[in-house]
Amino acid sequence: MALRGLVYYRGRSKMVLKAVVNGVIAVLWIGVICAGEVARYDNYRVYRLIAKSNDHLKTLHELQDSSDSYIFLEKGLKVGDGFNIVVAPHKLADFTEMLDVDGIKAEILDTNLQRSIDEEKYRMQSKRTKGIFDWNEYHELEEIHNWLDKLALNYEQVEVVEAGHSYENRTIKGVKVSYKSGNPGIFLEGGIHAREWISPATVTYILNELLTSQDPKVRNISENYDWYIFPNVNPDGYVYTHKKNRLWRKTRTPYSRACFGADPNRNWDFHWAEQGTSDRCNTETYGGPYAFSEVEMKSLSQYIESLKGKIQAYIAFHSYSQVLLYPYGHTIEHTPNHDDLTDIANATVTALAKRYGTKYYYGNTYEAIYPASGSSADWVYNTLGVRVAYTYELRPSPSSWNSGFILPSEQIVPTGEETLDSLVTLVEESAKRKYFEL
Ligand code: 0X9
Ligand code: ZN
């Protein structure tokens, strides 16, 4: 009996052992599947080329629709326009043959995109001084939100404000900075496109300077305007770029099992879905199923609407290209104050270039870059009558030697400095033209 019991016990323990081993294998498998969920760009190359003829344009536009192994970071519309294209390693042979056949000359801006992404991550993790929020490195959403909370504790002029919640229930957090009552309001929008990390970095840099700078020109704009500053208006997208896919642009609303997100800067209810946007979810410029389908943009627009009359200027920060844009994006027709917007932009980019020689060009969106409708700046211009509405496309320039959205973090401070220089001029020049009368 005892022997039988032992054999039975041994048999059972074998079974238990087997079950445990199977369980461990299953857990390992799940682990492997989870680890595989992070998008990687090993040996993806970034190319820069110029379309020199209509044939070139045709080839490149066909290429764009042919496969998602080509990621178009910048795409031209006319002869002479530039393209920045990320090419997957298994497409390199096809791609370079196509360039040869069509006589298109290209330069390589990055030989391994993943290495640039890894370097950026490594710096974020290793160089960070614990507990200190600075502009030497990029920051995660939580760190930015904690910093905003701290500002409100440390400065009586700062109040934390909220413009609703994201699809994944993150706060759309901002601050209002006010030194006195009766000031006209200026709204700064950051991070609408998730991968454009220099945007929230620059917006937080500007916010910090508005509070701490001793420069009389900065003090003047800081204290004579009320500032509504939102570094990350697409928080789910921003978190996704940190955790899963560095090149994510859109929101994270699920639209089908295999397709997520709409372009938040094509989702606003002004000439929605007309120009430079797509009705296919699987594209970077998907405008969403209807205007304001994205809860983030719906609630942000309601928040902005609640400030109607108070907000006199709206400034959105994107990257990249080094361009200063103003409405409209849906039509070549000029706005009623086009000439003023042009003159202000001219002075603004001149001020920006002074410190480091960084060159920007400027113009109305439709003519300066491409048709694009349903953007925040155009909606604010039209719906709220905010006549000073600008969109910055920050560093780098499309031909610089790096990967566009992966701007080395040592450029955060210089970008912040020159952008603040330019913002001072933008505000002063607008004030001169009486745009801030309440
Ligand atoms: O396409 C966009 O949404 C912006 N460029 S980006 O490369 N950052 O995606 C430009 C938007 C400018 N549009 C208007 N202000 N109308
Ligand atoms: Zn953008």
Side-chain angles (χ1 to χ4, degrees):
M1 180 67 196
L3 195 66
R4 270 182 65 192
L6 196 65
V7 171
Y8 171 74
Y9 182 76
R10 271 210 185 141
R12 256 190 66 156
S13 70
K14 243 187 179 173
M15 269 165 57
V16 169
L17 191 70
K18 224 176 158 182
V20 169
V21 170
N22 282 341
V24 170
I25 290 172
V27 168
L28 281 176
W29 261 110
I30 292 166
V32 168
I33 290 163
C34 288
E37 282 172 9
V38 177
R40 292 192 61 87
Y41 296 93
D42 296 283
N43 299 316
Y44 278 59
R45 283 192 193 168
V46 184
Y47 281 88
R48 165 103 186 133
L49 44 91
I50 308 284
K52 294 248 161 85
S53 68
N54 280 319
D55 283 349
H56 289 178
L57 274 179
K58 200 166 160 243
T59 305
L60 292 165
H61 287 152
E62 271 171 25
L63 185 77
Q64 189 189 356
D65 296 330
S66 70
S67 158
D68 61 5
S69 300
Y70 301 108
I71 304 166
F72 281 61
L73 301 180
E74 287 279 317
K75 50 180 178 276
L77 289 178
K78 47 189 193 310
V79 173
D81 282 355
F83 288 74
N84 284 12
I85 308 172
V86 179
V87 182
H90 67 279
K91 287 284 184 188
L92 283 173
D94 289 358
F95 181 73
T96 47
E97 194 179 329
M98 180 209 78
L99 296 181
D100 275 355
V101 170
D102 283 51
I104 302 174
K105 289 207 175 62
E107 57 177 331
I108 300 172
L109 299 185
D110 195 337
T111 52
N112 184 356
L113 184 56
Q114 187 61 43
R115 195 174 45 208
S116 306
I117 293 172
D118 289 346
E119 270 164 23
E120 184 184 59
K121 187 151 212 135
Y122 174 77
R123 288 187 55 139
M124 258 186 83
Q125 286 167 349
S126 65
K127 299 246 172 109
R128 177 185 309 156
T129 323
K130 263 226 143 65
I132 294 178
F133 190 88
D134 64 18
W135 289 267
N136 298 324
E137 304 308 327
Y138 295 102
H139 294 282
E140 291 187 10
L141 184 77
E142 210 187 324
E143 296 174 275
I144 298 175
H145 281 185
N146 290 342
W147 181 67
L148 296 179
D149 290 338
K150 263 199 200 138
L151 289 182
L153 290 177
N154 294 341
Y155 292 86
E156 56 172 316
Q157 299 83 1
V158 178
E159 175 195 340
V160 169
V161 284
E162 289 184 10
H165 290 84
S166 66
Y167 182 85
E168 291 170 355
N169 208 26
R170 296 186 176 90
T171 311
I172 301 171
K173 193 181 276 207
V175 290
K176 178 184 175 190
V177 179
S178 179
Y179 280 82
K180 60 179 165 60
S181 63
N183 279 340
I186 299 179
F187 196 102
L188 305 187
E189 171 208 288
I192 198 168
H193 286 145
R195 62 194 174 187
E196 298 165 10
W197 285 10
I198 190 61
S199 164
T202 303
V203 168
T204 52
Y205 179 90
I206 291 170
L207 166 56
N208 190 52
E209 290 298 308
L210 290 175
L211 294 170
T212 59
S213 171
Q214 295 306 312
D215 179 330
K217 280 173 174 275
V218 176
R219 292 262 46 84
N220 173 45
I221 65 164
S222 172
E223 294 177 20
N224 291 308
Y225 297 86
D226 281 0
W227 297 83
Y228 297 85
I229 302 181
F230 286 78
N232 295 92
V233 301
N234 174 11
D236 296 350
Y238 190 67
V239 168
Y240 198 74
T241 60
H242 283 267
K243 302 245 180 303
K244 299 285 182 177
N245 183 354
R246 178 63 182 84
L247 290 188
W248 191 257
R249 166 182 166 99
K250 304 187 287 177
T251 60
R252 289 297 301 164
T253 317
Y255 280 111
S256 74
R257 246 184 240 160
C259 191
F260 291 79
D263 183 344
N265 213 32
R266 297 290 182 282
N267 192 238
W268 294 63
D269 194 7
F270 179 61
H271 292 272
W272 174 79
E274 284 179 16
Q275 297 276 344
T277 172
S278 160
D279 57 6
R280 285 183 299 130
C281 177
N282 256 321
T283 58
E284 299 282 38
T285 53
Y286 176 47
Y290 50 89
F292 286 138
S293 57
E294 302 317 282
V295 64
E296 297 84 356
M297 298 305 114
K298 170 113 190 117
S299 58
L300 178 61
S301 68
Q302 285 169 343
Y303 177 77
I304 297 167
E305 215 160 8
S306 76
L307 298 167
K308 189 173 174 144
K310 169 82 178 172
I311 289 178
Q312 303 288 310
Y314 190 92
I315 304 166
F317 293 87
H318 289 246
S319 71
Y320 59 97
S321 286
Q322 297 176 194
V323 198
L324 185 61
L325 301 164
Y326 38 91
Y328 289 123
H330 70 284
T331 174
I332 199 164
E333 304 283 312
H334 289 175
T335 58
N337 65 330
H338 177 86
D339 292 347
D340 276 356
L341 290 174
T342 305
D343 292 347
I344 296 165
N346 185 328
T348 302
V349 305
T350 305
L352 190 146
K354 269 211 180 113
R355 197 182 280 258
Y356 295 113
T358 309
K359 283 205 169 62
Y360 270 54
Y361 64 98
Y362 58 86
N364 52 314
T365 303
Y366 194 102
E367 290 178 294
I369 53 165
Y370 43 65
S373 68
S375 74
S376 57
D378 286 9
W379 182 87
V380 172
Y381 181 92
N382 182 72
T383 313
L384 301 192
V386 174
R387 288 293 169 255
V388 180
Y390 284 98
T391 301
Y392 278 80
E393 295 285 351
L394 298 166
R395 291 192 192 191
S397 91
S399 56
S400 78
W401 288 90
N402 51 47
S403 310
F405 300 116
I406 326 288
L407 182 70
S409 53
E410 58 267 22
Q411 291 197 43
I412 298 172
V413 169
T415 303
E417 290 171 328
E418 69 193 12
T419 310
L420 179 59
D421 294 341
S422 78
L423 184 64
V424 166
T425 299
L426 191 159
V427 173
E428 286 175 356
E429 291 294 317
S430 304
K432 255 191 225 167
R433 292 170 177 79
K434 312 229 174 300
Y435 279 107
F436 293 125
E437 319 269 277
L438 275 179

